[in-house]
Amino acid sequence: MAEPLVEIRNLAKHFPITKGIVRRRQVSEIRAVDGIDLTIHSGETLALVGESGCGKSTAGRLILGLLPPTDGAILHQGVDIAAMNPAQLRQMRSRFQMIFQDPFGSLNPRMTVRDLIAEPLKINGYGKAERLEKADALLEAVGLGSQHASRYPHEFSGGQRQRIGIARALALGPDLVVADEPVSALDVSVQAQVINLMQDLQQDLGLTYLFISHDLGIVHHIADRVAVMYLGRIVEVATKAALFASPAHPYTRALLDAIPVSRPDQRRPERALSGDLPDVASVVGGCRFAPRCPFATDRCRTEDPALRDLAAGHSVACHHAEALRADNSKPRI
Amino acid sequence: MKHSMFGKKLKMRLGGGIVIAVILMAIFAPLLAPHDPYDQDLMSRLIPPFWNAQGDWTYPLGTDNFGRDMLSRLIYGSRLSITVGVAAALLACTMGTILGMWAGYSGGYAETAIMRLADAQLAFPDILLAILIVAAVGGSALNLILVLGLSGWTVYARVMYNMTRSIRERPFVEAAVSHGARSAYIIRQHIFPQLIPVLTVVATLQVAQMILQETALSFLGLGLPPPTATWGNMLAEGRDRMWAAPWISNLSGVAIIILVWGINMLGNGLREHLDPNQRGRQ
């Protein structure tokens, strides 16, 4: 694989919970992202998956510098954006852009499509003629004609709006695009179109995607590598083939088992997880997944497993990964 | 507002018509007024309006205690009411919007300081504050504008604060940040334009409030000193002769009611017009 575009080291984001009206004091904190290491290679699609509230969106925003991290380093081509002041960070922003989940809220309803797509260019000081020319070219590139340019967002369907959002994200010619659940708000029939568009654009422009999703079917379609998050930690990173064929972490297995199967006779035995996502603030020592893990031992409850290499390009944070992996004979999906 | 008597179009036309008529009256007062509003004529004092048996068309709306023409005084009185009302509402609007947006956008200490100050000011009546200040510095048009403007900013600040807070969390603001936008750009391009419809409505309704407050201050003798023709002064002057010459108070009262009613109708019509949930309803 190519050289790393982004390297994340020990990245953490803790949101304080405060109490009191006159004297605010911190009573607790939510560890949305709690020390993750991740490398995104140039030109790949890395999927970041996990259930709601596991911190995947927060991680995406940290990587884009939209939230200040509590701890850790975010190296974009070797430059740490976590250490930058706001002015320096603004200079960097054109290199990494975002596709938003909500195609309705992410477009200012009072701006025309042309102004929306040209906005990143305007902010970065491009001249008017160049802005209009680029905006029309981008509209064309995402499959919308320039006849749509002077309309307003409410005149478009969800899929078309997401195309507008994609065009806007590409306006500055970024290397990295973080897509935060880009199709979860769309109809299934439209999802495929948008995903295919993203893949075509990746090929044409050499983009690198960080694809945040909870839909493993889509991840299986688009990703090169997959990172699985649970409660603010990355529990497993592997190539798509390795992860879907032989998941090493019990949480990954549970996720894969939860994918609905279209043919009833191929249904796997139920291995659904019991219990809810615990309060992150309450986790003390031991593996975060232990309270819900069917394989948890005493060691799991006392010793926090570090992310370690299981095979080349396959890392996992589980004490019993080898034993569990041997148990994985059936391929999935 | 679907229970209202009139449709929004009628409201805007009727309200707007009244407001425009009064504004034109104020501008062209010297042309419209049949007499000098300050010309005293003790021989013809307390003449009733034309519809009364003792009235005549020389003084269509009668005369006051000093024999001054009521119609001319009412026409000239609209000048002060409109000027003070609009200027005070603009001052309050500018101040309240800037402070409200600042508090809502930046949060932190600015938010606490500004919004707690607004709470403190809302805790005691505006008119009391106005009375205190005018009693101390004296009544002049400028003082009235300053006092009413400074006491009215809290309404705007609270509305703008809440709207700014909700807008700044919307994804398109985050998108602008991700493109490298500065705060000034975001406020100018993404936040302020969303506030304008609400601002228009609040400001319109506020003008009516300001006019009422100016009238109240004048009535209490804290506005412009007599003999200046203001509707509040005329109301106060007529008070002593409510039984002998009821038209003095009544006519100025009716003038105030018509203007305030017109402004409120315009404001309500605008609100319904600009509220997306009301669109398409008639």
Side-chain angles (χ1 to χ4, degrees):
Chain A
M1 196 50 77
E3 79 271 25
L5 181 69
V6 181
E7 271 187 277
I8 300 155
R9 294 192 195 133
N10 192 31
L11 185 63
K13 179 66 186 177
H14 300 171
F15 294 103
I17 303 168
T18 55
K19 243 187 179 175
I21 296 165
V22 183
R23 286 172 62 95
R24 291 206 167 256
R25 57 193 191 280
Q26 188 175 331
V27 290
S28 176
E29 59 186 8
I30 293 175
R31 299 180 182 182
V33 174
D34 199 14
I36 63 174
D37 296 281
L38 193 62
T39 303
I40 306 173
H41 301 296
S42 198
E44 75 169 345
T45 300
L46 174 64
L48 190 57
V49 303
E51 64 196 288
S52 300
C54 72
K56 53 191 195 299
S57 288
T58 305
R61 282 176 166 73
L62 288 169
I63 291 166
L64 289 172
L66 289 172
L67 284 172
T70 310
D71 194 14
I74 307 152
L75 304 169
H76 281 266
Q77 289 167 318
V79 190
D80 185 8
I81 66 159
M84 285 184 171
N85 64 36
Q88 292 171 314
L89 189 54
R90 265 202 301 275
Q91 302 296 314
M92 291 281 290
R93 288 203 184 275
S94 60
R95 296 207 213 162
F96 36 90
Q97 292 285 295
M98 181 161 183
I99 299 172
F100 290 85
Q101 174 176 13
D102 177 5
F104 297 85
S106 59
L107 303 176
N108 187 335
R110 289 170 187 275
M111 288 167 73
T112 64
V113 169
R114 183 182 280 124
D115 289 343
L116 283 165
I117 295 176
E119 186 181 34
L121 301 166
K122 187 179 171 188
I123 290 168
N124 286 275
Y126 287 77
K128 190 167 186 184
E130 196 179 358
R131 291 206 300 261
L132 295 183
E133 191 182 320
K134 275 202 165 188
D136 284 358
L138 283 161
L139 262 179
E140 209 75 51
V142 297
L144 293 169
S146 52
Q147 76 271 17
H148 297 304
S150 45
R151 298 201 193 154
Y152 287 88
H154 70 86
E155 299 175 58
F156 293 89
S157 68
Q160 287 173 315
R161 280 188 231 205
Q162 205 55 304
R163 286 170 191 267
I164 297 166
I166 291 171
R168 181 176 63 178
L170 298 179
L172 293 171
D175 305 316
L176 173 73
V177 174
V178 173
D180 185 7
E181 308 248 15
V183 296
S184 65
L186 306 178
D187 291 341
V188 177
S189 57
V190 182
Q191 288 187 350
Q193 295 171 14
V194 172
I195 291 292
N196 289 340
L197 171 69
M198 285 180 66
Q199 285 187 313
D200 292 345
L201 291 167
Q202 182 174 35
Q203 288 217 314
D204 295 345
L205 303 169
L207 298 170
T208 305
Y209 285 138
L210 176 65
F211 192 91
I212 300 169
S213 181
H214 61 254
D215 187 333
L216 290 168
I218 288 170
V219 166
H220 188 260
H221 181 72
I222 195 171
D224 298 314
R225 290 194 307 138
V226 183
V228 181
M229 267 187 94
Y230 183 78
L231 273 186
R233 287 277 179 83
I234 286 179
V235 295
E236 185 165 7
V237 186
T239 61
K240 175 175 70 181
L243 189 107
F244 279 85
S246 55
H249 196 281
Y251 179 65
T252 314
R253 274 176 64 164
L255 279 185
L256 295 177
D257 285 339
I259 300 174
V261 183
S262 51
R263 292 180 53 179
D265 56 321
Q266 289 183 355
R267 247 165 96 168
R268 293 179 294 268
E270 289 275 335
R271 277 190 291 189
L273 281 179
S274 58
D276 288 324
L277 208 60
D279 181 4
V280 197
S282 71
V283 177
V284 275
C287 174
R288 284 153 191 255
F289 188 56
R292 295 170 81 188
C293 181
F295 311 103
T297 60
D298 284 344
R299 188 184 173 203
C300 298
R301 282 181 271 272
T302 51
E303 192 186 329
D304 194 3
L307 195 66
R308 62 198 168 90
D309 286 340
L310 195 64
H314 194 158
S315 312
V316 66
C318 177
H319 295 307
H320 308 299
E322 286 83 357
L324 292 170
R325 205 177 176 213
D327 178 42
N328 268 309
S329 44
K330 261 188 312 187
R332 287 176 166 74
I333 286 198
Chain B
M1 288 295 109
K2 60 189 166 190
H3 304 297
S4 62
M5 222 173 4
F6 310 123
K8 69 182 185 196
K9 270 192 184 151
L10 185 62
K11 272 186 191 170
M12 283 198 294
R13 282 185 195 149
L14 204 58
I18 291 172
V19 171
I20 290 169
V22 175
I23 290 173
L24 288 177
M25 189 170 93
I27 293 171
F28 297 110
L31 300 177
L32 292 170
H35 299 273
D36 181 340
Y38 300 108
D39 192 14
Q40 299 187 8
D41 180 4
L42 294 180
M43 294 306 289
S44 48
R45 58 194 281 264
L46 298 178
I47 296 174
F50 67 88
W51 56 80
N52 193 298
Q54 284 100 51
D56 67 61
W57 282 95
T58 323
Y59 302 104
L61 297 181
T63 58
D64 67 5
N65 196 27
F66 297 99
R68 295 173 296 198
D69 178 39
M70 280 297 294
L71 178 59
S72 306
R73 284 181 72 74
L74 281 175
I75 291 173
Y76 272 88
S78 67
R79 288 186 147 184
L80 192 94
S81 292
I82 296 264
T83 314
V84 171
V86 171
L90 277 179
L91 176 65
C93 174
T94 312
M95 231 179 102
T97 304
I98 291 171
L99 290 173
M101 286 206 308
W102 182 13
Y105 189 83
S106 65
Y109 288 116
E111 173 187 342
T112 310
I114 293 169
M115 296 323 290
R116 292 302 80 77
L117 181 66
D119 288 346
Q121 192 169 328
L122 281 167
F124 61 98
D126 282 353
I127 196 78
L128 195 66
L129 184 74
I131 288 171
L132 276 173
I133 298 175
V134 174
V137 299
S140 74
L142 185 64
N143 282 350
L144 278 178
I145 291 167
L146 287 176
V147 163
L148 294 177
L150 292 180
S151 62
W153 70 277
T154 50
V155 179
Y156 299 89
R158 285 165 69 98
V159 173
M160 295 305 123
Y161 164 74
N162 285 314
M163 285 195 67
T164 305
R165 272 187 57 144
S166 82
I167 294 167
R168 75 160 288 169
E169 296 306 322
R170 289 175 59 183
F172 61 74
V173 172
E174 191 180 29
V177 173
S178 79
H179 302 139
R182 293 159 187 276
S183 295
Y185 175 88
I186 291 170
I187 289 173
R188 195 176 66 236
Q189 185 72 31
H190 290 294
I191 294 184
F192 187 65
Q194 320 270 340
L195 302 178
I196 289 174
V198 178
L199 206 54
T200 317
V201 173
V202 180
T204 310
L205 295 173
Q206 187 82 356
V207 171
Q209 286 301 311
M210 292 298 181
I211 288 175
L212 281 178
Q213 294 208 1
E214 181 271 317
T215 313
L217 284 176
S218 294
F219 181 78
L220 294 171
L222 292 163
L224 295 192
T228 317
T230 76
W231 292 352
N233 280 349
M234 292 164 72
L235 202 62
E237 285 159 16
R239 185 186 44 182
D240 300 336
R241 297 176 191 278
M242 269 300 282
W243 302 111
W247 62 86
I248 302 175
S249 288
N250 287 352
L251 285 171
S252 34
V254 167
I256 294 163
I257 289 169
I258 290 175
L259 178 59
V260 170
W261 184 63
I263 295 172
N264 281 337
M265 255 209 317
L266 178 65
N268 281 327
L270 277 176
R271 186 181 64 206
E272 285 167 41
H273 179 67
L274 296 169
D275 180 355
N277 297 324
Q278 300 280 343
R279 286 242 167 97
R281 243 185 240 178
Q282 190 51 255

